Amino acid sequence: MSLNAPVFAFVDIETTGSRPQVDRITEVGVVTLDNNDLHEWSSLINPETYIPQNIQRLTGISPEMVATQPTFQEIAGDLFMKLKDKIFIAHNARFDYSFLKAEFKKVGIDFSPKVLCTVKLSRKLFPNQSRHNLDTIIQVHDLKVNSRHRALGDAQLIYQFWQKCRLNFGEEFLMNEVRHLLNQTSLPSHIDQGRL
């Protein structure tokens, strides 16, 4: 990567549900790529609310695990600095971005990064692939799973997918596609939801 390349933050969150105005974040994972320097960070978060049983089964995150962890307000400043001025990359990015935007807003921080969705990137680069959810991408691209449905583990998978795209298409082509996707106006949420 060139010295003037953008800095990328591959992000995943775990939550108590699917509604950003009501449900809360239980974990955040960030993999930062700055030129060729890679940094990983994650934190469990006390959502200050109940974690439904189905979410506990999916993520393995229990109320006991988060009871003594910091609240979002307590980590907001550090997390904001980790994401500031970086391209925010997530799988089904609308979900992760909406939750983080809502949480940051509660503590008075305006969070408005450039957002790249790897579902959209996958559709663009691999149009013949029938599905673009993360489990399909893991299988198709032979990604190494460390901890599925945990924030850092899934952020690592998104980064691995990015690396596969770089190897398959080259840096210049990939960055042109990224620029194109970043410049596109996002569809209203009711149009593309559930099309993974």
Side-chain angles (χ1 to χ4, degrees):
M1 254 188 224
S2 63
L3 289 174
N4 61 354
V7 181
F8 302 104
F10 302 87
V11 181
D12 187 75
I13 62 171
E14 302 304 329
T15 67
T16 61
S18 59
R19 303 159 300 168
Q21 299 306 327
V22 178
D23 296 307
R24 304 297 300 274
I25 295 173
T26 57
E27 190 175 40
V28 179
V30 181
V31 176
T32 306
L33 180 63
D34 185 353
N35 287 305
N36 287 318
D37 291 332
L38 201 64
H39 303 280
E40 296 182 346
W41 176 89
S42 68
S43 178
L44 284 165
I45 294 171
N46 184 342
E48 303 177 284
T49 190
Y50 178 68
I51 303 174
Q53 287 291 335
N54 63 317
I55 301 290
Q56 291 186 49
R57 284 192 296 272
L58 179 69
T59 65
I61 299 172
S62 66
E64 295 75 23
M65 287 171 64
V66 297
T68 59
Q69 297 299 320
T71 63
F72 189 87
Q73 182 172 359
E74 290 171 321
I75 62 116
D78 284 344
L79 178 59
F80 181 73
M81 293 311 295
K82 290 181 189 306
L83 300 176
K84 187 173 184 280
D85 300 325
K86 297 173 180 67
I87 294 177
F88 179 100
I89 303 177
H91 204 71
N92 195 15
R94 184 187 305 281
F95 178 87
D96 304 79
Y97 170 73
S98 296
F99 266 90
L100 286 166
K101 177 102 175 158
E103 291 280 11
F104 277 123
K105 186 176 180 181
K106 288 172 189 167
V107 298
I109 296 174
D110 178 31
F111 181 61
S112 301
K114 290 182 178 178
V115 177
L116 177 69
C117 179
T118 47
V119 172
K120 293 179 180 179
L121 182 65
S122 179
R123 286 179 186 151
K124 186 122 176 98
L125 297 181
F126 304 98
N128 296 326
Q129 197 172 296
S130 61
R131 294 173 64 81
H132 299 273
N133 61 49
L134 198 49
D135 288 323
T136 300
I137 284 173
I138 289 165
Q139 185 177 8
V140 168
H141 298 285
D142 195 27
L143 305 184
K144 182 184 175 187
V145 180
N146 290 323
S147 189
R148 186 73 175 95
H149 296 297
R150 291 297 300 269
L152 185 57
D154 284 354
Q156 290 167 340
L157 287 168
I158 299 163
Y159 169 70
Q160 284 183 56
F161 174 62
W162 176 265
Q163 291 296 89
K164 294 279 185 177
C165 293
R166 280 178 72 186
L167 285 172
N168 286 339
F169 296 97
E171 183 78 28
E172 186 177 349
F173 181 88
L174 178 59
M175 290 310 300
N176 282 335
E177 295 301 313
V178 167
R179 278 190 284 273
H180 177 73
L181 287 169
L182 288 174
N183 288 330
Q184 279 185 347
T185 303
S186 185
L187 291 170
S189 59
H190 67 276
I191 291 179
D192 64 347
Q193 247 180 357
R195 289 188 56 202
L196 298 184

